């Protein structure tokens, strides 16, 4: 999956939490890793200590393919987004297993954005040197 490291060098760092450590460790390795309940098998994101379905504390890691589709998007213009040279495209992306992430779509113009648009994960560096998942249009060339 592509690394888009230099487009927004002042991109803000993610907020690290204990429950989210697996997700952010995966991002550093250019992987989308989410939680799956070890008892009922339900996937969950954002990360949390307890399964919202069966209340189990048994958590296993699961790597996603990184492909998905745009459910909704916006390009906020005012006030300017901190850490971005141009207004970013902010999208809700639905991945496999019904997991949804809010992230940026890069490599597309706002006029190209569509509901259901196929996207794939890519990775970008933040101002503090962390790695965050973003999405790019999936042209099906893999």
């Amino acid at each position: 999956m592509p690394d888009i490291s230099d487009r927004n060098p002042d991109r803000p760092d993610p907020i690290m939490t204990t429950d989210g450590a697996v997700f952010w460790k995966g991002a550093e390795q250019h992987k989308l890793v989410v939680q799956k309940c070890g008892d009922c098998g339900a996937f969950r994101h954002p990360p949390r200590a307890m399964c919202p379905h069966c209340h189990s504390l048994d958590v296993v890691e699961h790597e996603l393919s990184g492909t998905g589709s745009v459910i909704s998007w916006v390009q906020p213009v005012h006030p300017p987004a901190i850490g971005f040279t141009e207004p970013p495209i902010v999208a809700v992306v639905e991945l496999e297993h019904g997991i949804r992430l809010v992230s940026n779509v890069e490599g597309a113009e706002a006029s190209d954005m569509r509901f259901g648009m196929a996207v794939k994960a890519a990775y970008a560096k933040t101002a503090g040197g962390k790695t965050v998942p973003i999405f790019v249009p999936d042209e099906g060339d893999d």
Side-chain angles (χ1 to χ4, degrees), residues 45-107:
H45 192 81
R48 61 201 100 169
M50 181 183 291
C51 176
H53 302 283
C54 72
H55 307 293
S56 170
L57 298 177
D58 187 11
V59 178
V60 295
E61 298 174 16
H62 182 81
E63 183 178 347
L64 300 176
S65 67
T67 60
S69 61
V70 173
I71 299 302
S72 181
W73 68 275
V74 66
Q75 188 174 35
V77 176
H78 185 76
I82 296 170
F84 293 86
T85 55
E86 297 291 326
I89 295 174
V90 180
V92 177
V93 175
E94 185 166 74
L95 302 165
E96 59 197 274
H97 307 295
I99 292 175
R100 292 181 176 185
L101 293 179
V102 176
S103 187
N104 299 122
V105 174
E106 295 191 5

Side-chain angles (χ1 to χ4, degrees), residues 127-139:
K130 303 293 184 188
T131 302
V132 294
I134 63 167
F135 290 89
V136 296
D138 188 353
E139 306 294 332

